[in-house]
Structure formats: structure tokens, C-alpha cells
Amino acid sequence: MTFARLSATLMLLFGAGLTQGFVPAARPVAKVVGGSMPMMKSTTSSSSSTRAPLYTPLSMATDPETSKTSNLPFWLDVGTKGGAIVVSLILFIVPIIIYSIVTSVFGFDEIEAGKWIGVGFTAIATFLWVGTYIFRVATKDMTYAKQLKDYENAVIAKRLEELDDDEIQALVEEIDRDDF
């Protein structure tokens, strides 16, 4: 099995397109068009002269509530490559500036100042990094939790699509009864 075929199969298995409300009647056929993006063969056929494209692009499931857009420029947003480079440069330059100030202005010994600045900066950076990790765990803002939530939502949506109108109405009435 080629890599392109494997990746297209995995995208189909893990719910690509389920959150868009489209469930094909037949088993979808994935194909890589142009070697770059997996595509799903359209199950609709048109007999008119204007035909829909035979292949439509697949997309990963995204939740509009959790998709965040930053108002920061790309070089300040740590979620981008530019932001990661700028933060790395700042974290590299700040201890050097502190070392220069401590040794020239306050007159500390260079070796002792270097030791304490290195230890202090490493301890503070480690403490802050662990703090961000604990915060992400506490708020369940981790990759696994997001993937699990997306999977559960996709399964619920698929089951809801498989229900008849009478069953959906019965569920709505049961939920209304439970609310009161």
C-alpha cells in the first residue's frame, strides 16, 4: 500500500468530513489527485451538462468554537514559526543582558554571576514550562483530550444521522421532560 493511499485511508477512517454533515450513501473512494491532497470521490451524479467536480477535497474535523485566531502579528504569536524564533532569541539574549548588567554595573565576579544567572534562569524557565503544562492538563487543553472530544462528537453525529425522524422526536421530547 503506498503512502498516499494509506494516508487517504486513515483520513477516511478517522472521521474526515463527518462534522460537515455529509455521509456518503456508498463507501467513499479516496484518491490522491496531483499527489498532494487526498480527495473523496463524489457520490452524487449529475446528468446535466454542468457537472459537479468528480473529486472534492477532504478536510479534518474542526470545531468552530475551539478554533482560535490570534490578533498578534506572526512574529509575536508563539504558535507560529516566526513567534517561536523570536521567543527563542529573546530567551537566548535576556540572560546575556542580565549578565552584562550584573558584572559591569553591580561589580559582581564574572564566574559567580554566570553560575547564578545560569542556575536562576534555568530554574525559572523550567518552573514556568511545568506551570504551563499543569495548566493545560487542568483545563484539558491537550491533544489527546481534543482528539477524544472530536471523536465522540463525530460518533454522536453519525448515530444521530442514522436515526429516523420519529426516534429523533422521541429523544427531543425525552430531553425536554428531563429539563423540567
Side-chain angles (χ1 to χ4, degrees), residues 122-145:
T122 303
I124 289 171
T126 303
F127 179 73
L128 290 175
W129 178 71
V130 169
T132 61
Y133 182 76
I134 291 172
F135 178 75
R136 288 189 308 124
V137 169
T139 59
K140 295 191 178 195
D141 190 24
M142 299 181 65
T143 305
Y144 174 74

Side-chain angles (χ1 to χ4, degrees), residues 1-14 30 32 38:
M1 185 178 272
T2 65
F3 176 74
R5 191 168 183 192
L6 177 65
S7 64
T9 304
L10 289 174
M11 286 185 72
L12 288 173
L13 288 175
F14 290 111
V32 175

Side-chain angles (χ1 to χ4, degrees), residues 36-63:
S36 62
M37 179 180 235
M39 307 293 263
M40 181 182 290
K41 188 173 182 179
S42 178
T43 57
T44 60
S45 62
S46 175
S47 60
S48 66
S49 62
T50 58
R51 299 182 79 171
L54 186 60
Y55 293 97
T56 57
L58 291 176
S59 62
M60 295 302 292
T62 56
D63 188 9

